[in-house]
Amino acid sequence: MSQQKVDQKKLDKKNRRSTLRKKKIEEVLSLAIVAVIGIAILGWVGYSVYTKVQDSAAENATYEYYDIDTAAIQDYLSSLN
């Protein structure tokens, strides 16, 4: 081996721990970023689906109202006094 290769190998061996630590930090950081982006996308899709379901439920909702004539009850109550 040439002296340059030997010196490079010694330098690599000397800095191996810090190099491995930097690589681990980069891996964890990239996984965290991907996870945050994935959660954001899932949240956006979930919110979009939720709003569409709520809108369609509001459009399809039918309300039935019944009128109650309380005149007979009022007559009965007034006759008790």
Side-chain angles (χ1 to χ4, degrees):
M1 274 202 235
S2 67
Q3 187 62 39
Q4 183 181 6
K5 286 183 180 179
V6 171
D7 291 340
Q8 184 64 37
K9 193 168 187 176
K10 283 183 182 179
L11 185 62
D12 289 344
K13 189 174 183 181
K14 179 181 166 189
N15 295 329
R16 186 174 294 153
R17 184 174 286 165
S18 65
T19 305
L20 289 175
R21 191 178 74 210
K22 285 179 186 178
K23 284 184 181 181
K24 281 186 176 181
I25 289 173
E26 287 176 357
E27 287 178 12
V28 169
L29 195 59
S30 66
L31 285 174
I33 290 171
V34 167
V36 167
I37 291 171
I39 290 171
I41 289 172
L42 284 175
W44 175 63
V45 169
Y47 180 74
S48 297
V49 169
Y50 176 76
T51 56
K52 285 189 184 257
V53 167
Q54 292 298 323
D55 291 343
S56 67
E59 289 175 0
N60 295 332
T62 58
Y63 299 104
E64 296 181 16
Y65 295 103
Y66 298 103
D67 287 331
I68 299 174
D69 186 20
T70 58
I73 297 173
Q74 290 297 329
D75 292 339
Y76 175 71
L77 291 176
S78 64
S79 68
L80 292 177
N81 291 333

